[in-house]
Amino acid sequence: LDIELRKYCVRELVRRDLPGYAVGGLSGGEKKDVFWRVVDVCTDELPEDKPRYCMGVGYPVDLVVCVALGVDMFDCVYPARTARFGTAIVNSGLLKVRNAEMAKDFRPIDEECECYVCKNYTRAYIHMQTSREGTVGGQLLTLHNVYHLVNLMKRARQAILDGRFPKFVQNFMLKQFPDKQYPQWVSDALTKAGIALLR
């Protein structure tokens, strides 16, 4: 996490003129303020015309912040791991499908989602499946969660292409934090990326 060593490493990698670059060694429990600063230092030094991949990052807020800082692609176990615990990723954050109140909720996980799971299964059904021994509930939630994150990245990409990425970020963060109590690290990172959050 040493910033000067990161800069040195990135510069040495760039000298090798590789087809793309990975930012690793994060998502290991470091403070978010350190996390975003390391990503920022690396993307500042990496060429803009080559893919920049951030390893092991998968929380939706982290993804959007990292895209704002210049990261192009990601991978992470998060959508599957959180699904195994009966949790769905939705536009407003997380939905605990294992919670008792879901047993009689016959809506889809996310009424705005176009994934196979949201079109074919209810919260109540998935709740029942996550409460039993077996893997069906976790598998359905994994399908939804992966779809949700891929769709989030598609929307971010389209917003960049359309020249409306700052507005996309503002709307995304407002759904995540409707009280506008944004974490300081998010505000600081987005300010560095030139994006002001809605107040």
Side-chain angles (χ1 to χ4, degrees):
L1 297 176
D2 182 290
I3 296 296
E4 291 308 312
L5 284 176
R6 288 280 179 165
K7 287 180 183 177
Y8 173 77
C9 179
V10 170
R11 288 177 188 141
E12 289 300 309
L13 288 170
V14 169
R15 282 184 345 118
R16 287 161 175 75
D17 193 29
L18 300 168
Y21 300 92
V23 177
L26 297 169
S27 297
E30 69 279 343
K31 292 181 178 175
K32 293 292 188 177
D33 193 55
V34 172
F35 163 78
W36 84 261
R37 290 176 194 282
V38 169
V39 171
D40 182 54
V41 163
C42 293
T43 54
D44 275 353
E45 298 282 338
L46 291 171
E48 290 184 16
D49 63 337
K50 296 196 177 177
R52 297 184 277 188
Y53 157 58
C54 199
M55 300 167 62
V57 173
Y59 296 143
V61 170
D62 296 4
L63 292 172
V64 171
V65 167
C66 286
V67 170
L69 294 172
V71 176
D72 301 305
M73 55 189 150
F74 308 87
D75 77 317
C76 190
V77 300
Y78 178 68
R81 185 181 59 219
T82 197
R84 286 196 313 267
F85 295 109
T87 302
I89 305 167
V90 295
N91 287 328
S92 59
L94 298 175
L95 180 68
K96 308 279 187 182
V97 181
R98 250 190 206 162
N99 288 356
E101 66 265 17
M102 295 294 152
K104 295 184 180 179
D105 190 334
F106 296 99
R107 294 176 294 164
I109 293 170
D110 182 345
E111 292 171 314
E112 298 174 14
C113 183
E114 294 291 320
C115 80
Y116 176 82
V117 176
C118 287
K119 288 182 175 182
N120 292 285
Y121 298 96
T122 66
R123 293 175 181 187
Y125 177 79
I126 298 169
H127 167 80
M128 177 191 66
Q129 292 297 333
T130 60
S131 302
R132 297 177 166 188
E133 292 291 323
T135 61
V136 173
Q139 290 171 355
L140 291 173
L141 288 172
T142 296
L143 288 171
H144 165 78
N145 288 349
V146 169
Y147 180 94
H148 179 85
L149 293 181
V150 168
N151 191 47
L152 173 64
M153 291 295 92
K154 282 181 180 177
R155 292 184 354 249
R157 181 179 188 277
Q158 194 60 52
I160 291 167
L161 293 173
D162 294 345
R164 54 178 180 77
F165 185 68
K167 189 71 176 164
F168 168 83
V169 173
Q170 290 170 337
N171 291 335
F172 171 82
M173 292 299 175
L174 196 54
K175 284 185 179 179
Q176 295 288 308
F177 307 102
D179 58 0
K180 298 181 182 176
Q181 298 297 309
Y182 308 109
Q184 189 62 49
W185 76 271
V186 170
S187 183
D188 292 345
L190 293 175
T191 297
K192 173 66 170 64
I195 300 172
L197 293 168
L198 299 173
R199 299 287 176 185

